[in-house]
């Protein structure tokens, strides 16, 4: 990895990057598939991570089982279980330090997510983090979510920073593609789910954000 131009902003993905919501999402969906007597391989879930255009898991379930008369009940049960698990999931290691360093260096912070605004803003508020970000760009604000670069370009525009001077923290191959197509520097920090993804498109892959070489990005 070459040394980038001086970084002028930091933009983070949300799901799986700030909070590992993806493990709970997979576990709770897989449980509903198990209840229905069918499998939900990790590879099927990985294909949806980071994207805003994938089919709903309950539609995939019914493809494999046929129509389920209690599908609304199944969706509600899964949603409640997911919310309980996410609420108990801490912010990922290294996030607080990164936010503090960006603040000390006067770099604006943003979030770029393929999830809806109420999901992202709600969890950031609950963790007391929403005020740390100058902008939160989500799939509600663009015509095309990741893997297209639109949400990252919107975040950079709102931060008034050239894309090439943005450092992105991502956890998935889909998000990496979006960040790189936006012309940004991208560091991948996979979670237990996305560790099985192809992250080779990132400029740097770390096992933990605590390993980020801050000096290289002018954040030492």
């Amino acid at each position: 990895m070459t040394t980038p131009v001086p970084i002028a902003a930091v933009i983070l993905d949300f799901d799986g990057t700030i909070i590992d919501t993806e493990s709970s999402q997979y576990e709770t969906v897989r449980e509903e598939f198990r209840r229905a007597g069918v499998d939900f391989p990790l590879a099927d879930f990985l294909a949806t991570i980071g994207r805003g255009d994938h089919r709903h898991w309950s539609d995939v379930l019914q493809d494999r089982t046929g129509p389920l008369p209690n599908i609304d009940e199944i969706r509600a049960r899964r949603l409640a279980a997911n919310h309980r698990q996410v609420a108990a999931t801490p912010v990922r290691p290294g996030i607080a330090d990164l936010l503090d360093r960006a603040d000390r260096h006067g770099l604006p912070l943003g979030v770029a997510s393929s999830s809806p605004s109420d999901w992202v803003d709600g969890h950031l508020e609950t963790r007391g983090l929403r005020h740390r970000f100058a902008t939160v760009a989500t799939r509600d604000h663009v015509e095309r979510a990741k893997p297209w670069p639109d949400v990252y370009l919107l975040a950079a525009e709102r931060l008034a920073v050239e894309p090439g001077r943005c450092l992105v923290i991502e956890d998935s191959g889909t998000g990496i593609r979006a960040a790189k197509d936006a012309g940004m520097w991208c560091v991948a920090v996979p979670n237990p789910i996305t560790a099985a993804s192809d992250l080779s498109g990132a400029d740097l892959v770390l096992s933990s954000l605590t390993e980020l070489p801050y000096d290289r990005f002018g954040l030492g």
Side-chain angles (χ1 to χ4, degrees):
M1 174 185 170
T2 59
T3 302
V5 297
I7 295 301
V10 179
I11 304 175
L12 295 91
D13 169 56
F14 176 72
D15 289 290
T17 297
I18 296 178
I19 302 171
D20 179 15
T21 59
E22 287 160 356
S23 291
S24 60
Q25 174 85 354
Y26 178 59
E27 290 166 6
T28 55
V29 168
R30 183 175 59 176
E31 172 61 17
E32 294 303 333
F33 274 68
R34 186 197 64 77
R35 285 172 178 259
V38 292
D39 191 24
F40 185 56
L42 178 58
D44 290 1
F45 181 68
L46 287 174
T48 72
I49 287 180
R51 302 185 69 102
D53 59 354
H54 62 82
R55 297 179 68 218
H56 196 271
W57 65 267
S58 61
D59 295 327
V60 177
L61 174 62
Q62 292 183 101
D63 286 347
R64 300 178 185 179
T65 62
L68 295 169
N70 62 332
I71 191 62
D72 289 339
E73 175 187 333
I74 292 171
R75 291 184 185 119
R77 180 174 61 207
R78 203 289 312 179
L79 184 62
N82 187 51
H83 276 293
R84 287 194 299 271
Q85 288 196 34
V86 172
T89 302
V91 172
R92 294 191 71 198
I95 291 293
D97 187 31
L98 173 60
L99 302 188
D100 289 344
R101 286 174 184 265
D103 284 346
R104 287 199 299 271
H105 286 271
L107 302 186
L109 290 155
V111 171
S113 173
S114 286
S115 290
S117 295
D118 57 352
W119 172 263
V120 179
D121 283 328
H123 285 293
L124 290 175
E125 290 283 3
T126 299
R127 302 311 197 286
L129 293 176
R130 179 60 185 86
H131 71 283
R132 303 293 299 272
F133 297 98
T135 188
V136 174
T138 73
R139 75 180 189 199
D140 298 330
H141 306 135
V142 293
E143 291 187 8
R144 303 178 304 176
K146 302 173 190 177
W148 287 272
D150 304 33
V151 71
Y152 276 115
L153 292 172
L154 176 61
E157 179 183 346
R158 288 177 173 178
L159 296 174
V161 175
E162 295 177 6
R165 298 190 64 191
C166 293
L167 170 63
V168 167
I169 310 298
E170 263 287 355
D171 74 302
S172 72
T174 297
I176 292 167
R177 174 182 164 188
K180 295 306 298 178
D181 284 352
M184 300 178 177
W185 286 87
C186 185
V187 173
V189 186
N191 54 61
I193 296 294
T194 57
S197 301
D198 179 5
L199 307 174
S200 60
D203 295 292
L204 180 65
V205 180
L206 305 174
S207 60
S208 171
L209 189 57
T210 60
E211 301 171 357
L212 186 67
Y214 284 106
D215 289 344
R216 180 168 291 182
F217 294 99
L219 294 171

